[in-house]
Amino acid sequence: MERTIGTTRLVLVEGDITEQRVDAIVNAANSRLAGGGGVDGAIHRRGGPSIMEECRRIGGCPTGSAVVTGAGNLPARWVVHAVGPVWSGGKRGEDDLLASAWRESLERAREIGARTVAFPSLSTGAYRFPVDRAARIALGTVRDWILEHPDVLDEVRVVLFDRATYDAYAAALADLP
Ligand code: ADP
Protein backbone atom coordinates (compact mmCIF):
# COMPACT_ATOMS: atom_id res chain seq x y z
CA MET A 1 0.00 0.00 0.00
CA GLU A 2 1.29 3.49 -0.70
CA ARG A 3 0.41 7.12 -0.82
CA THR A 4 2.25 10.09 -2.28
CA ILE A 5 2.52 13.25 -0.19
CA GLY A 6 3.98 16.09 -2.24
CA THR A 7 6.98 14.45 -3.91
CA THR A 8 7.52 11.83 -1.19
CA ARG A 9 6.16 8.28 -1.36
CA LEU A 10 4.90 6.80 1.91
CA VAL A 11 5.01 3.04 1.40
CA LEU A 12 3.93 0.15 3.63
CA VAL A 13 5.48 -3.29 3.08
CA GLU A 14 5.48 -6.56 4.98
CA GLY A 15 9.10 -7.64 5.43
CA ASP A 16 12.42 -7.52 7.27
CA ILE A 17 14.04 -4.15 7.96
CA THR A 18 17.56 -5.59 7.62
CA GLU A 19 16.97 -6.46 3.95
CA GLN A 20 15.97 -2.97 2.83
CA ARG A 21 18.15 -1.25 0.20
CA VAL A 22 17.57 2.30 1.30
CA ASP A 23 19.88 5.11 2.41
CA ALA A 24 18.92 4.79 6.08
CA ILE A 25 17.14 2.18 8.15
CA VAL A 26 15.73 3.01 11.56
CA ASN A 27 16.44 0.76 14.54
CA ALA A 28 14.07 0.29 17.49
CA ALA A 29 16.88 0.90 20.00
CA ASN A 30 16.95 1.25 23.78
CA SER A 31 18.24 4.35 25.54
CA ARG A 32 21.57 2.77 26.45
CA LEU A 33 22.07 1.72 22.81
CA ALA A 34 23.00 -1.56 24.43
CA GLY A 35 21.52 -4.00 21.96
CA GLY A 36 18.53 -6.23 22.56
CA GLY A 37 16.10 -8.52 20.78
CA GLY A 38 13.61 -7.81 18.01
CA VAL A 39 14.67 -5.31 15.38
CA ASP A 40 17.74 -4.30 17.34
CA GLY A 41 19.05 -7.86 17.61
CA ALA A 42 18.48 -8.47 13.90
CA ILE A 43 20.29 -5.25 12.90
CA HIS A 44 23.37 -5.95 15.02
CA ARG A 45 23.47 -9.61 13.97
CA ARG A 46 23.31 -8.89 10.26
CA GLY A 47 25.17 -5.59 10.34
CA GLY A 48 28.20 -6.88 12.24
CA PRO A 49 30.18 -5.45 15.20
CA SER A 50 31.01 -2.01 13.78
CA ILE A 51 27.51 -0.73 14.58
CA MET A 52 27.82 -1.64 18.28
CA GLU A 53 31.30 -0.09 18.41
CA GLU A 54 29.83 3.20 17.22
CA CYS A 55 26.90 2.87 19.63
CA ARG A 56 29.35 2.46 22.52
CA ARG A 57 31.22 5.59 21.49
CA ILE A 58 27.94 7.54 21.37
CA GLY A 59 26.98 6.12 24.76
CA GLY A 60 23.20 6.54 24.81
CA CYS A 61 20.14 8.33 23.50
CA PRO A 62 17.15 9.71 25.43
CA THR A 63 13.66 8.33 24.82
CA GLY A 64 11.99 10.23 21.97
CA SER A 65 15.31 10.96 20.27
CA ALA A 66 17.55 9.34 17.63
CA VAL A 67 21.25 9.03 16.75
CA VAL A 68 23.08 7.86 13.61
CA THR A 69 25.74 5.22 12.96
CA GLY A 70 27.03 3.50 9.86
CA ALA A 71 25.28 0.34 8.71
CA GLY A 72 28.17 -2.18 8.71
CA ASN A 73 27.35 -5.08 6.40
CA LEU A 74 23.71 -4.14 5.88
CA PRO A 75 22.57 -3.00 2.44
CA ALA A 76 21.71 0.46 3.83
CA ARG A 77 24.30 3.25 4.34
CA TRP A 78 23.23 4.40 7.79
CA VAL A 79 21.32 3.18 10.83
CA VAL A 80 19.23 5.75 12.70
CA HIS A 81 18.84 4.41 16.24
CA ALA A 82 15.50 5.70 17.55
CA VAL A 83 14.35 5.23 21.12
CA GLY A 84 10.58 4.89 21.42
CA PRO A 85 8.76 4.82 24.76
CA VAL A 86 7.91 1.76 26.80
CA TRP A 87 4.10 1.60 27.03
CA SER A 88 2.90 2.00 30.60
CA GLY A 89 -0.80 2.76 30.20
CA GLY A 90 -0.67 5.92 28.09
CA LYS A 91 -0.56 8.61 30.77
CA ARG A 92 3.20 9.05 30.87
CA GLY A 93 3.58 10.97 27.64
CA GLU A 94 3.94 7.84 25.54
CA ASP A 95 2.05 9.29 22.54
CA ASP A 96 4.25 12.40 22.39
CA LEU A 97 7.42 10.39 22.92
CA LEU A 98 6.52 8.02 20.10
CA ALA A 99 5.76 10.92 17.74
CA SER A 100 9.06 12.49 18.77
CA ALA A 101 11.03 9.30 18.03
CA TRP A 102 9.59 9.22 14.48
CA ARG A 103 10.14 12.96 13.93
CA GLU A 104 13.70 12.91 15.27
CA SER A 105 14.51 9.93 13.03
CA LEU A 106 13.30 11.88 10.00
CA GLU A 107 15.41 14.84 11.13
CA ARG A 108 18.54 12.65 11.39
CA ALA A 109 17.80 11.24 7.92
CA ARG A 110 17.55 14.76 6.53
CA GLU A 111 20.78 15.86 8.25
CA ILE A 112 22.81 13.03 6.70
CA GLY A 113 21.33 13.63 3.26
CA ALA A 114 19.32 10.41 3.04
CA ARG A 115 16.63 10.37 0.32
CA THR A 116 15.11 7.01 1.26
CA VAL A 117 14.45 5.78 4.79
CA ALA A 118 12.86 2.62 6.18
CA PHE A 119 11.24 2.31 9.61
CA PRO A 120 10.07 -0.65 11.66
CA SER A 121 7.04 -0.36 13.94
CA LEU A 122 8.79 1.47 16.80
CA SER A 123 7.72 0.50 20.35
CA THR A 124 5.08 -2.10 19.43
CA GLY A 125 7.16 -5.20 20.19
CA ALA A 126 8.97 -5.61 23.51
CA TYR A 127 7.87 -2.07 24.48
CA ARG A 128 4.18 -3.14 24.17
CA PHE A 129 2.75 0.10 22.67
CA PRO A 130 -0.73 -0.79 21.27
CA VAL A 131 -0.22 -1.21 17.55
CA ASP A 132 -3.38 0.53 16.24
CA ARG A 133 -2.60 3.60 18.31
CA ALA A 134 1.10 3.52 17.37
CA ALA A 135 0.26 3.23 13.66
CA ARG A 136 -1.94 6.32 13.73
CA ILE A 137 0.64 8.37 15.62
CA ALA A 138 3.50 7.17 13.42
CA LEU A 139 1.87 7.80 10.04
CA GLY A 140 0.33 11.11 11.16
CA THR A 141 3.76 12.26 12.30
CA VAL A 142 5.38 11.21 9.02
CA ARG A 143 2.69 12.96 7.00
CA ASP A 144 3.06 16.20 9.00
CA TRP A 145 6.85 16.10 8.71
CA ILE A 146 6.74 15.55 4.95
CA LEU A 147 4.36 18.48 4.53
CA GLU A 148 6.75 20.65 6.57
CA HIS A 149 9.79 19.40 4.61
CA PRO A 150 8.81 19.15 0.95
CA ASP A 151 11.30 17.62 -1.53
CA VAL A 152 13.63 16.29 1.19
CA LEU A 153 12.83 12.57 1.01
CA ASP A 154 11.90 10.45 -2.00
CA GLU A 155 10.53 7.58 0.05
CA VAL A 156 9.55 6.73 3.60
CA ARG A 157 9.05 2.96 3.77
CA VAL A 158 7.44 1.37 6.81
CA VAL A 159 8.48 -2.29 7.04
CA LEU A 160 6.08 -4.42 9.06
CA PHE A 161 7.23 -7.81 10.22
CA ASP A 162 3.89 -9.61 10.34
CA ARG A 163 0.47 -9.40 8.73
CA ALA A 164 -1.39 -8.11 11.81
CA THR A 165 1.02 -5.19 12.17
CA TYR A 166 0.83 -4.49 8.44
CA ASP A 167 -2.98 -4.46 8.63
CA ALA A 168 -2.94 -1.96 11.51
CA TYR A 169 -0.70 0.42 9.52
CA ALA A 170 -2.78 -0.07 6.37
CA ALA A 171 -5.94 0.90 8.27
CA ALA A 172 -4.18 3.95 9.72
CA LEU A 173 -2.94 5.00 6.28
CA ALA A 174 -6.41 4.59 4.79
CA ASP A 175 -7.83 6.84 7.55
CA LEU A 176 -5.08 9.45 7.35
CA PRO A 177 -6.56 12.82 6.40
P1 ADP B 1 10.41 -2.17 20.65
O1 ADP B 1 11.35 -2.59 21.75
O2 ADP B 1 10.59 -0.71 20.24
O3 ADP B 1 8.99 -2.53 20.94
P2 ADP B 1 10.85 -4.51 18.92
O4 ADP B 1 12.06 -4.74 18.07
O5 ADP B 1 10.63 -5.40 20.09
O6 ADP B 1 10.91 -2.96 19.33
O7 ADP B 1 9.53 -4.61 18.00
C1 ADP B 1 9.09 -3.59 17.14
C2 ADP B 1 8.38 -4.21 15.94
O8 ADP B 1 9.36 -4.70 15.02
C3 ADP B 1 7.49 -5.42 16.24
O9 ADP B 1 6.33 -5.32 15.42
C4 ADP B 1 8.35 -6.60 15.79
O10 ADP B 1 7.54 -7.71 15.39
C5 ADP B 1 9.03 -6.02 14.61
N1 ADP B 1 10.27 -6.69 14.14
C6 ADP B 1 11.04 -7.61 14.76
N2 ADP B 1 12.08 -7.96 13.97
C7 ADP B 1 11.97 -7.24 12.81
C8 ADP B 1 12.71 -7.17 11.59
N3 ADP B 1 13.81 -7.89 11.38
N4 ADP B 1 12.28 -6.28 10.64
C9 ADP B 1 11.18 -5.54 10.83
N5 ADP B 1 10.44 -5.56 11.94
C10 ADP B 1 10.81 -6.41 12.92
Side-chain angles (χ1 to χ4, degrees):
M1 184 167 179
E2 80 175 73
R3 172 133 159 209
T4 301
I5 301 166
T7 59
T8 305
R9 288 186 312 281
L10 173 54
V11 183
L12 307 183
V13 298
E14 197 177 337
D16 184 333
I17 192 85
T18 63
E19 292 171 1
Q20 306 304 311
R21 285 183 187 281
V22 288
D23 294 332
I25 64 168
V26 178
N27 181 18
N30 56 58
S31 58
R32 292 178 303 127
L33 303 177
V39 173
D40 192 275
I43 284 176
H44 287 293
R45 211 159 38 243
R46 298 192 59 167
S50 67
I51 301 173
M52 186 51 77
E53 278 160 28
E54 276 190 76
C55 283
R56 273 196 212 100
R57 274 201 293 278
I58 295 167
C61 175
T63 302
S65 206
V67 296
V68 179
T69 68
N73 304 323
L74 293 166
R77 294 172 66 191
W78 297 284
V79 178
V80 176
H81 302 265
V83 184
V86 177
W87 178 260
S88 57
K91 295 193 173 139
R92 297 196 179 175
E94 292 96 324
D95 291 353
D96 290 345
L97 287 166
L98 184 65
S100 176
W102 280 78
R103 205 161 39 238
E104 286 289 305
S105 298
L106 293 164
E107 283 299 318
R108 293 299 91 75
R110 182 176 64 82
E111 288 161 8
I112 58 187
R115 302 287 312 180
T116 53
V117 51
F119 283 81
S121 178
L122 298 175
S123 281
T124 68
Y127 282 5
R128 299 181 317 272
F129 203 114
V131 65
D132 292 325
R133 183 163 172 153
R136 281 172 167 72
I137 293 166
L139 298 183
T141 301
V142 170
R143 190 255 340 258
D144 290 350
W145 190 91
I146 291 170
L147 290 171
E148 286 161 22
H149 302 84
D151 304 319
V152 171
L153 296 176
D154 297 323
E155 181 177 327
V156 177
R157 189 181 305 167
V158 188
V159 181
L160 295 325
F161 205 46
D162 58 72
R163 181 45 60 164
T165 307
Y166 178 90
D167 287 345
Y169 279 74
L173 186 58
D175 289 348
L176 203 64

